Amino acid sequence: MPPHPLDARALAALAANPGCRRRALLDGAGVDKGALAEALGSPAPFGQSQFAFMRGNAFEAKVKADGGTELMRLLADRLGGQAVPPAPGEVSVPDLSAAGPEGRTARTALALREATAAGAWALLDHPLLALEVAGSPAYLEPDAVVVRPDGRWTVVEIKSFPMIDGSADASKVGAAARQAAVYALALERVAVRTEGAEVGHQVLLVCPKDFSNLPTASVVDIRKQLSVTRRQLARLTRIEDIADTLPEGTTFNLERCSGAQLTSAVDAVSAAYAPECLAACELAFHCRSRARERGAVEALGRSVRGELGALTTVAAVLSAAHGDTGDPDDPTVAALRRAATLRAEALAGADRAVTEQAVAGRAMADRAVAADRAVAGGAETEG
Amino acid sequence: MSLISTLARLEAVASGRARPLATVRHRRISERPLVLVPLTTAGEAGAPLGALVGTDRDAPRLLTVAQPRDRDLRFAFLGELAEAVLPYIDAYTDVIEPAERNETDPETGKRVKVEVELCVDAPQLVVPSRPGIDFVRLLGRSMRFRRTAEEDPETPYPAPPRVPLLGRWLTHYGERARVPGSSLLLATTDLLNRHWATGQSGLEDQHLGALLAWIDPPGTLSGAEAALLAELERDRDGQLACPPAGPATDPAFDNRLLAPAIERYDRARQELGAAEDGADAEERLARLTAAERHIRALLLGVMRPTWDAVWHGLDLLRQLPEGARVEERWTRDRWSFTGHRDRVRAGEPPQPRRDDAVTAAQKLASRETALAQLAAAEALDDPLVLAGHRLSGEAFVGEVTEVVMAYSEGKRPSPRPLITVRTDDRPHLGERTKVFRSLDGKPQSAEFVRYGDGPADEDEAGTGTGTGTGTGTGTDEDGTLVLRLTDRMGRSKEPAPGSVPEKGDRISWTLFEHDQRGGPKLPDPEETPWTHGGPPVREGTAEAGPDAPRQAPDPVTEEDFL
Ligand code: SF4
């Protein structure tokens, strides 16, 4: 089975949960986590609508049309400074096709070096970059990289979410910035070996303008994302070290292992489930059900875990809160008991209030009925 | 999340049912809300796919777009949406009561009271979830700068009448939804999450189906089981039994059902265009109609469960009694609604694309005030919310054990009684910390004197300078503390009857103020029309003032999306 390549989105997600060895190992070993999740009986909910897919492709093609004329105009306008934008035809678009990922990354590196040496504008359409992650190579394919005559390389991200009145959805821009940071890191590996090259820490984000499909762009500074990603990737445990801790013969061969074998293989590697996994990792439903079975409090959120100190399961927290277990001098236990008492008191008070209201309501209704009767009675006697 | 809410979540996990986070309802639910369930096309900003809309839960109005890339069809959709929503809004604009408002007289610069109209009630829009609110904003933005043929006969793609007006209203509602505690535009998930804690995370709580499953699971299922089904259950065609609450659709729905249906529609339309004769055309028209009907049925199928879920959620919320201070916040919403009505009537231009710096700062400030007001009001209305403040030391509940009359120094001594309170709570009290209780709905303040219930020394009887070291004669261990009441006892020497607590009273005190600012019936600055001393107009900006030039409409291109 061919290894499943890591892309920048997966890498950004990996960096977002660096404590998870399960994910690090599976990604590092090139296991297709989507297929694995399917085999485990908890398929990932991810999928892409063909409408979004078509629209994304059409928009990217439009941005890059005519040898990237519009793209270069946006780049010069937003990032150009004093530089004169290149005239159409002044931008080379090198052919990057080659066989296999190694061939393509070598071809990309060569094109980057040639363009930098020539001191000219170049647009690299879907270059392929390599980055070593936790001891194994990952291949990354940015939408585009632009080389400028002064030797600066700029990552270009083309997204199909709109920029309305000059601003786009902050969380989507954040995700794009994290992804671009991974590309910039990979580019830096090539840049250190290229004379006169420098990787820009500002990337160009190209999006549709307002409600049209005309491209517009904004500059995103990725220095923060770069340093975070760099730190988190460095923190990832080396794959071999994780693999060494596994029982002999553990494999994730989807074709040869049964569901039960896969489950035990997966469970042999420790995980760090948090609800954020649901949006980022194919195994999330599997890991969530495991976490819930264990009664792990972090299934309710990372912050919950932080509040509860050494108490890590739902049962332990509740029994400490109700005074059955736990050291009353432990500040967490003391706070929990106080919280439980106050909560119970408030709920009981509310119940009482509701009953009182109901009783009062009934009494009032009774009085009203009595009054009605009296009136009715009076009317009768009068009649 | 406070520890009390965390505990509620854990209780929910253990019991398999959502647990209450509130004992009263903290938002207004209108007697006749307008529910809107919108759907949008994946990957296209503001290309609506369909909507269910209406005030009758048994008869939603179905609006659909058979080919979302077709501008005419989108315009037709928006026109129908305007027809569905605007009459609902109009029904509220003329039911008014007289009210007074403080305004600055433009000539004298003095504050004067002016008679104005205030709408007796306001229309309320309810959407399924938070992305629904964002979509309302997006729709508002996409419509308010459009031009109708009447406004601009030259415009190449005139919008149907009233579409720009709907855009302005939706923009107003979208903006108002950013004000904490407002109830003009509500997301059902937000409403439910405010009042119940489920046994899942806040992220999972954004799924309306799963959230409802925890609060009111069907049959004998536990909340967890029902929520899992709501998230994952699919039929043989791979379609979710509980489709997403929108506006995004499930990719499996797009790819397997909707895309082929739209393709069939496109083909039928082409064929109709190429029809040779009348009989042929008739047959092809029938095919086109069938294709369109099929798309409508598909969209209805994925929107109806959400529509029912919203009403189900409203039923659950209506079972809670409304909090006492909700009315006050709703009155502000009515001012907001009336203010926008006045701006539209005064012929003011649509809201600008971006707020100028002054307006933006004012909005931010008023939202912060609203947030503080909301936090205080919810705590006063709801013992369960107050419990959270008691836990964090910002409030305490205690029994009055002693009241000692004392007076302030000076020529006209005023009553300053010393109240001894016994409490199990641990409020964060320091020297002369101010505390408040609610007296007939108004805040009465006191200041902290000391811990312990030892005899008051002479100094404490007055408000002289050297009072209250904060430690007093006792310690906080015995849970007794002494407060000095400082206001709301009337003007005479003897406190007004009922204004001083009595021995045995159980009273809630807060360390935060109850009313952060001004009277409850004042309109927010953002809601004050420009013509009424609202946001100042800065010279040279095209974005404010009735006389400012109108904002240019969005340029419309051949490939434009709404
Ligand atoms: S879902 Fe599981 S494997 Fe994936 S990151 Fe989370 S804990 Fe790790």
Side-chain angles (χ1 to χ4, degrees):
Chain A
M1 197 181 55
H4 193 74
L6 261 186
D7 59 12
R9 197 187 302 243
L11 261 184
L14 183 58
N17 191 1
C20 181
R21 296 174 146 231
R22 183 174 294 169
R23 182 177 174 127
L25 178 77
L26 293 171
D27 279 348
V31 176
D32 179 346
K33 294 200 299 305
L36 177 61
E38 193 107 35
L40 292 171
S42 307
F46 309 133
Q48 195 183 20
S49 162
Q50 67 183 69
F51 299 131
F53 185 75
M54 277 160 21
R55 159 88 150 144
N57 284 350
F59 181 65
E60 185 175 336
K62 188 181 169 88
V63 171
K64 288 179 177 168
D66 304 329
T69 309
E70 178 60 13
L71 177 57
M72 297 313 262
R73 190 193 64 75
L74 286 167
L75 185 93
D77 184 58
R78 307 292 199 270
L79 268 170
Q82 305 300 318
V84 193
E90 221 185 297
V91 184
S92 68
V93 184
D95 175 21
L96 300 176
S97 56
E102 286 91 351
R104 284 184 60 201
T105 46
R107 186 71 199 82
T108 296
L110 183 66
L112 282 165
R113 263 180 237 128
E114 280 175 357
T116 310
W121 288 94
L123 169 63
L124 279 69
D125 187 359
H126 285 279
L128 196 69
L129 305 164
L131 184 67
E132 188 168 296
V133 178
S136 54
Y139 293 102
L140 308 163
E141 191 176 330
D143 291 330
V145 170
V146 172
V147 177
R148 294 205 308 198
D150 63 0
R152 176 169 302 219
W153 301 352
T154 304
V155 175
V156 176
E157 277 283 279
I158 302 170
K159 296 288 182 196
S160 56
F161 55 80
M163 222 174 261
I164 295 175
D165 298 332
S167 65
D169 183 302
S171 66
K172 289 179 180 153
V173 175
R178 283 191 295 278
Q179 213 174 314
V182 177
Y183 296 140
L185 278 180
L187 267 181
E188 277 178 359
R189 300 289 184 279
V190 186
V192 291
R193 285 178 276 119
T194 309
E195 202 177 318
E198 191 197 343
V199 179
H201 290 170
Q202 293 187 315
V203 300
L204 191 72
L205 176 64
V206 183
C207 296
K209 179 175 164 30
D210 299 336
F211 304 97
S212 73
N213 68 349
L214 304 171
T216 184
S218 74
V219 172
V220 182
D221 191 307
I222 55 161
R223 271 173 299 181
K224 209 178 93 219
Q225 287 81 1
L226 261 176
S227 70
V228 170
T229 312
R230 213 178 264 134
R231 202 169 52 238
Q232 284 173 334
L233 289 181
R235 266 177 60 199
L236 290 174
T237 318
R238 289 181 57 83
I239 308 292
E240 289 101 84
D241 297 344
I242 300 175
D244 284 348
T245 63
L246 295 181
E248 195 76 35
T250 304
T251 104
F252 300 99
N253 191 322
L254 297 180
E255 276 141 33
R256 269 191 264 134
C257 296
S258 70
Q261 281 171 317
L262 285 173
T263 305
S264 68
V266 166
D267 291 348
V269 200
S270 69
Y273 173 78
E276 286 76 13
C277 292
L278 290 167
C281 183
E282 290 83 352
L283 286 185
F285 282 131
H286 175 78
C287 296
R288 182 179 73 174
S289 69
R290 284 296 134 118
R292 284 182 175 173
E293 278 161 27
R294 273 189 294 122
V297 292
E298 59 264 34
L300 296 176
R302 281 206 181 109
S303 63
V304 172
R305 174 70 200 270
E307 269 179 314
L308 297 171
L311 302 166
T312 56
T313 68
V314 175
V317 176
L318 287 178
S319 101
H322 298 142
D324 301 334
T325 54
D327 172 6
D329 290 334
D330 176 341
T332 311
V333 174
L336 270 172
R337 290 192 183 166
R338 224 25 238 119
T341 311
L342 286 171
R343 184 171 156 77
E345 186 188 311
L347 283 172
D351 277 352
R352 209 164 45 235
V354 170
T355 337
E356 271 164 22
Q357 239 174 26
V359 171
R362 249 199 318 275
M364 234 150 72
D366 288 349
R367 271 198 301 279
V369 170
D372 279 353
R373 276 208 202 100
V375 171
E380 258 168 31
T381 41
E382 258 169 47
Chain B
M1 221 184 331
S2 86
L3 196 54
I4 290 195
S5 341
T6 302
L7 207 54
R9 278 193 193 271
L10 296 172
E11 284 173 10
V13 174
S15 68
R17 271 303 263 276
R19 300 283 298 143
L21 275 184
T23 64
V24 297
R25 177 161 39 76
H26 292 289
R27 298 292 180 276
R28 169 58 59 95
I29 304 290
S30 160
E31 271 169 35
R32 203 171 150 262
L34 182 84
V35 172
L36 171 65
V37 174
L39 282 189
T40 185
T41 315
E44 316 266 8
L49 199 53
L52 284 180
V53 58
T55 53
D56 181 352
R57 70 192 304 164
D58 297 319
R61 185 161 167 174
L62 172 66
L63 312 178
T64 57
V65 185
Q67 171 46 277
R69 306 175 70 96
D70 183 307
R71 187 200 326 267
D72 293 334
L73 294 181
R74 282 200 313 272
F75 268 162
F77 168 88
L78 295 176
E80 280 184 69
L81 188 65
E83 274 169 39
V85 176
L86 289 175
Y88 171 72
I89 291 178
D90 289 343
Y92 290 83
T93 49
D94 286 324
V95 188
I96 47 148
E97 63 187 21
E100 273 186 348
R101 187 163 58 188
N102 285 318
E103 278 172 16
T104 310
D105 187 312
E107 274 161 32
T108 61
K110 279 194 194 127
R111 299 292 283 172
V112 287
K113 278 208 188 323
V114 203
E115 283 269 320
V116 289
E117 291 178 353
L118 175 60
C119 295
V120 170
D121 201 0
Q124 182 178 59
L125 232 65
V126 181
V127 293
S129 60
R130 235 180 257 175
I133 291 188
D134 293 335
F135 194 67
V136 165
R137 255 179 226 132
L138 193 82
L139 280 178
R141 166 63 184 82
S142 80
M143 287 188 273
R144 70 181 192 264
F145 298 117
R146 298 284 163 194
R147 295 285 181 83
T148 61
E150 197 183 313
E151 287 171 322
D152 179 2
E154 302 286 284
T155 190
Y157 304 102
R162 308 245 283 167
V163 160
L165 180 62
L166 178 63
R168 297 175 64 174
W169 275 113
L170 293 187
T171 300
H172 184 73
Y173 269 59
E175 275 301 283
R176 184 68 194 171
R178 298 186 200 272
V179 177
S182 72
S183 297
L184 285 188
L185 168 60
L186 293 167
T188 313
T189 47
D190 283 347
L191 282 170
L192 295 172
N193 282 316
R194 175 65 198 85
H195 298 87
W196 283 277
T198 66
Q200 57 186 4
S201 72
L203 279 168
E204 289 149 317
D205 281 344
Q206 300 308 313
H207 187 300
L208 179 58
L211 178 58
L212 274 171
W214 272 100
I215 300 172
D216 191 13
T220 55
L221 292 179
S222 77
E225 289 162 347
L228 200 63
L229 286 182
E231 282 179 334
L232 299 176
E233 196 187 7
R234 288 181 185 269
D235 65 12
R236 261 179 300 140
D237 295 337
Q239 298 304 309
L240 285 167
C242 173
T249 47
D250 179 30
F253 170 73
D254 284 6
N255 298 344
R256 290 199 209 168
L257 299 182
L258 190 59
I262 292 181
E263 230 165 79
R264 209 174 94 187
Y265 172 84
D266 285 344
R267 228 179 305 121
R269 206 147 70 144
Q270 252 171 20
E271 283 167 12
L272 177 64
E276 313 241 300
D277 55 49
D280 195 21
E282 205 161 296
E283 190 196 315
R284 292 180 183 199
L285 180 64
R287 240 179 289 155
L288 180 67
T289 314
E292 192 188 341
R293 223 181 281 138
H294 180 51
I295 292 175
R296 284 175 71 81
L298 284 177
L299 292 174
L300 177 63
V302 289
M303 289 191 290
R304 185 69 201 224
T306 305
W307 171 268
D308 292 333
V310 170
W311 290 100
H312 182 188
L314 293 178
D315 286 344
L316 293 168
L317 286 153
R318 282 195 173 118
Q319 287 169 15
L320 287 168
E322 186 177 271
R325 287 163 179 80
V326 170
E327 176 72 40
E328 194 177 300
R329 289 199 291 282
W330 180 247
T331 303
R332 286 196 202 111
D333 281 330
R334 286 163 50 208
W335 276 109
S336 167
F337 172 71
T338 312
H340 190 64
R341 178 200 76 150
D342 293 345
R343 257 164 294 174
V344 169
R345 286 186 176 173
E348 287 179 20
Q351 300 93 330
R353 285 191 168 77
R354 283 202 256 182
D355 289 327
D356 63 87
V358 179
T359 311
Q362 274 174 340
K363 280 189 184 176
L364 215 61
S366 76
R367 281 171 205 160
E368 272 169 26
T369 311
L371 186 63
Q373 281 173 340
L374 177 68
E378 289 191 347
L380 296 168
D381 282 353
D382 187 343
L384 193 47
V385 179
L386 187 73
H389 295 282
R390 291 169 69 188
L391 184 67
S392 64
E394 292 163 79
F396 58 98
V397 175
E399 193 184 312
V400 175
T401 55
E402 195 183 4
V403 181
V404 177
M405 213 40 218
Y407 290 90
S408 64
E409 289 166 0
K411 273 192 215 118
R412 284 192 53 197
S414 318
R416 290 289 180 265
L418 290 168
I419 319 286
T420 307
V421 175
R422 234 207 62 76
T423 177
D424 292 333
D425 297 341
R426 303 277 167 79
H428 294 311
L429 295 169
E431 192 180 329
R432 301 185 73 168
T433 301
K434 279 189 103 175
V435 299
F436 308 88
R437 71 151 173 163
S438 184
L439 180 64
D440 304 327
K442 301 234 172 62
Q444 181 179 38
S445 45
E447 59 187 30
F448 173 63
V449 181
R450 62 187 157 81
Y451 287 114
D453 56 356
D457 61 46
E458 257 169 43
D459 209 14
E460 279 165 2
T463 53
T465 43
T467 47
T469 58
T471 50
T473 48
T475 66
D476 59 335
E477 288 305 315
D478 64 356
T480 309
L481 49 90
V482 180
L483 305 171
R484 178 185 295 115
L485 215 55
T486 53
D487 61 9
R488 287 205 180 273
M489 288 169 285
R491 290 172 172 271
S492 55
K493 190 155 182 277
E494 285 314 305
S499 64
V500 177
E502 285 170 21
K503 193 174 166 186
D505 285 357
R506 204 173 142 78
I507 295 174
S508 307
W509 301 88
T510 69
L511 278 66
F512 48 84
E513 290 189 39
H514 295 184
D515 219 348
Q516 304 286 326
R517 179 207 61 169
K521 291 207 165 182
L522 287 175
D524 301 347
E526 63 174 299
E527 313 304 347
T528 314
W530 292 303
T531 46
H532 295 79
V537 180
R538 286 189 307 158
E539 294 289 324
T541 57
E543 304 193 338
D547 304 327
R550 276 176 178 259
Q551 291 238 319
D554 289 328
V556 183
T557 64
E558 208 34 66
E559 299 150 296
D560 189 41
F561 290 96
L562 264 181

